[in-house]
Amino acid sequence: MFLTILIALFSLIGLVTLHEFGHFIIAKKFGVKVEEFGIGFPPRIFGKKIGETIYSLNLLPLGAFVKMPGEIGKTDDPRSFSNQSVPKRALIAFGGVLSFWIIAAILFSVVFNLGTSVAIGDEVNSNLADTKVQITSISAGSPAQIAGLNPGDAIKEVIIDNQKIAVNKIKEVQEITNNNLGKEITLTIERGKEVFEVKIMPRSSPPTGEGPMGIALIRTTIKSYPWYLSPWQGILATVNMTGAVIQGYGQAIKNIIGGKPSGVELMGPVGVFHLFTQVSKLGVSYFLQFVGMIAIYIAIFNILPIPAVDGGKLLFLGIEALRRRPISPKIEERVTAVFFMALILLMVLVTIKDVARLF
């Protein structure tokens, strides 16, 4: 358990550090002075100055940072951030967002080389290696949730009257379930390297669209690509997942405008960290996929035109380009501070909800 927590912690810190490295490398490329590149937040544990930049390790493991003169407001230093052209400053700000997509593409490339789960239909030859019927989602309050099942769990067998029935197709699970409505059955579940049994009672009259157990199923098999094809597959997966996430956010906005529940569940650091620890138990391939997915979610959030994130900086730069003069540093500082406090408050509220859900 301790090792799992460490892996999750270092993965999150690693994502944020590589994000800041995106800002750092482009700033250096343009000759902008970088005073400090830090992992974690002060107080400082260790720091070494190489050239003009201090590389530091700090006590609070909450992320990383790049310190450049003139990030807000003007300075006399010709190599400061504020004295660069708008396109250069925009590219430095965008570099952090871009790094998340690059990380995702690299991770997905590794996953496709190692082998990853792909969806197949019931009609596909059942003699394929590692064919599984997996749970993709679970309805709230359903028998599956009460039984403690999780998305990603694979149903290997159904046990009825001490008779084990191996299942390899979705329709097999559905037929057995429909023939035993209102009766307790036992499922043999595979979760990562763990195999265990779960008792569950399929509902006779489930809510519309949920099904007797309250689960959505998918049939998968393992497919891998050679090293020279996996990078392209990684890039395609990154593009496709980015599109899917954007589409999901768009649907959530439509739902809100239409007076419906958004269908999106916010999750803070505690919730994300908990997911990291859970997915790490499923194996390397699943874990790398999850880290890549998180990188894409953070990239999209970071590019939103919200002051206090990279998209907010791009918004201010866009306004500056249209006005042909910069926004007052005081106004930028105040607006950024207000949104930063709002994000902190939202994070606290979501974290409280995450903790309540876990305990």
Side-chain angles (χ1 to χ4, degrees), residues 45-355:
I45 299 172
F46 169 81
K48 182 174 178 60
K49 191 169 186 179
I50 302 175
E52 63 185 8
T53 304
I54 297 172
Y55 298 87
S56 66
L57 180 65
N58 300 278
L59 182 62
L60 302 177
L62 302 175
F65 66 92
V66 172
K67 185 179 179 183
M68 295 176 284
E71 288 186 75
I72 294 182
K74 273 278 187 181
T75 69
D76 295 329
D77 189 342
R79 294 180 56 219
S80 68
F81 178 81
S82 59
N83 281 321
Q84 308 305 307
S85 66
V86 169
K88 285 185 177 180
R89 281 181 283 158
L91 284 172
I92 292 170
F94 183 69
V97 180
L98 180 62
S99 66
F100 282 126
W101 274 305
I102 293 173
I103 292 164
I106 291 172
L107 291 174
F108 290 149
S109 298
V110 173
V111 167
F112 279 112
N113 185 244
L114 293 174
T116 185
S117 293
V118 294
I120 57 173
D122 275 356
E123 69 280 359
V124 177
N125 188 344
S126 61
N127 293 324
L128 289 171
D130 297 312
T131 303
K132 298 177 181 178
V133 176
Q134 290 187 277
I135 299 171
T136 58
S137 64
I138 297 174
S139 301
S142 66
Q145 186 186 56
I146 294 169
L149 295 177
N150 292 331
D153 288 348
I155 302 174
K156 305 298 291 182
E157 297 174 332
V158 181
I159 303 173
I160 301 172
D161 298 328
N162 296 320
Q163 181 183 358
K164 294 183 178 181
I165 306 170
V167 291
N168 186 262
K169 297 180 179 181
I170 296 172
K171 67 178 182 180
E172 293 173 348
V173 177
Q174 292 173 336
E175 287 174 358
I176 295 171
T177 302
N178 289 330
N179 290 333
N180 291 275
L181 299 178
K183 302 176 185 178
E184 186 177 75
I185 61 175
T186 302
L187 304 179
T188 301
I189 300 295
E190 180 183 74
R191 180 180 296 168
K193 296 180 181 180
E194 185 182 4
V195 177
F196 56 93
E197 294 181 355
V198 168
K199 294 186 182 299
I200 189 169
M201 183 179 292
R203 298 172 293 190
S204 300
S205 301
T208 304
E210 286 194 11
M213 290 193 289
I215 57 177
L217 298 173
I218 189 172
R219 187 171 182 243
T220 65
T221 190
I222 300 296
K223 185 174 183 178
S224 63
Y225 293 84
W227 65 267
Y228 54 87
L229 291 178
S230 57
W232 176 243
Q233 293 299 323
I235 293 169
L236 283 179
T238 301
V239 172
N240 291 336
M241 185 167 289
T242 298
V245 173
I246 292 173
Q247 186 178 13
Y249 282 141
Q251 185 59 51
I253 293 171
K254 285 183 181 178
N255 289 344
I256 292 171
I257 293 173
K260 302 176 183 177
S262 68
V264 174
E265 187 172 357
L266 293 176
M267 189 170 290
V270 172
V272 172
F273 188 78
H274 176 69
L275 284 179
F276 264 102
T277 59
Q278 293 299 308
V279 175
S280 64
K281 300 174 184 177
L282 302 178
V284 174
S285 185
Y286 282 101
F287 183 75
L288 293 179
Q289 276 184 288
F290 180 73
V291 176
M293 183 186 70
I294 291 296
I296 289 172
Y297 271 99
I298 301 176
I300 293 171
F301 176 76
N302 251 271
I303 207 171
L304 294 176
I306 303 172
V309 299
D310 292 334
K313 176 60 75 175
L314 291 171
L315 174 65
F316 286 126
L317 290 171
I319 295 172
E320 179 180 337
L322 291 173
R323 298 173 73 237
R324 298 190 176 180
R325 65 179 189 276
I327 295 173
S328 165
K330 287 186 178 179
I331 293 176
E332 184 175 346
E333 283 183 13
R334 288 171 183 169
V335 172
T336 300
V338 168
F339 275 87
F340 180 76
M341 292 305 298
L343 287 175
I344 291 294
L345 177 60
L346 178 62
M347 186 174 70
V348 170
L349 293 175
V350 173
T351 299
I352 292 172
K353 184 180 177 182
D354 287 342
V355 172

